[in-house]
């Protein structure tokens, strides 16, 4: 997976800031969202991201899977993914 | 070795 060419991500203490330069939009993400964004930047697949975060975090695996799927849908809806 | 608690990832549009 990768971001659209017009997307830049900056890490912050609270999570991440996402700049979409084509339409001049700015998004903020919490720390778990920032982890997902970082793994997308690393070129990981959706399945790899789910596996990585399920191992890193304490939570129900199906909840984590559904939350990440929702997050991806949100990224796609906002045209942030390539 | 304690894992962090999972929190639902959020993405908020703050463009003005």
């Amino acid at each position: 997976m990768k971001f659209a060419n017009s997307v830049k991500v900056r890490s912050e203490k609270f999570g991440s800031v996402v700049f979409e330069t084509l339409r001049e939009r700015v998004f903020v993400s919490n720390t778990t969202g920032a982890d997902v964004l970082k793994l997308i930047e690393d070129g990981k697949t959706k399945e790899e991201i789910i596996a990585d975060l399920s191992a890193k975090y304490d939570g129900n695996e199906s909840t984590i899977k559904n939350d990440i799927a929702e997050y991806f849908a949100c990224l796609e809806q906002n045209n942030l993914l390539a | 070795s304690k894992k962090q608690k999972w929190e639902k990832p959020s993405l908020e549009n703050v463009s003005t």
Side-chain angles (χ1 to χ4, degrees):
Chain A
M1 300 205 86
K2 55 183 273 190
F3 290 115
N5 288 334
S6 58
V7 172
K8 303 287 173 204
V9 180
R10 193 177 72 190
S11 290
E12 296 287 349
K13 272 185 181 174
F14 57 81
S16 278
V17 181
V18 182
F19 300 96
E20 199 274 295
T21 55
L22 204 63
R23 288 171 225 176
E24 296 179 355
R25 292 179 303 163
V26 182
F27 300 86
V28 293
S29 181
N30 61 2
T31 49
T32 42
D35 278 349
V36 176
L37 298 173
K38 175 80 180 67
L39 293 169
I40 292 172
E41 271 191 321
D42 293 346
K44 300 237 178 184
T45 65
K46 192 186 279 190
E47 290 71 29
E48 286 173 326
I49 291 170
I50 290 167
D52 278 16
L53 295 182
S54 296
K56 181 180 177 180
Y57 284 98
D58 175 27
N60 183 305
E61 199 167 332
S62 68
T63 303
I64 292 174
K65 191 176 177 177
N66 290 337
D67 286 351
I68 291 173
E70 258 182 58
Y71 192 70
F72 273 116
C74 185
L75 292 172
E76 280 166 4
Q77 215 170 44
N78 286 293
N79 302 311
L80 298 174
L81 297 176
Chain B
S1 60
K2 200 177 176 189
K3 287 181 178 180
Q4 285 176 271
K5 197 155 178 58
W6 173 253
E7 185 188 340
K8 188 173 180 165
S10 69
L11 187 75
E12 187 190 351
N13 188 342
V14 293
S15 312
T16 50

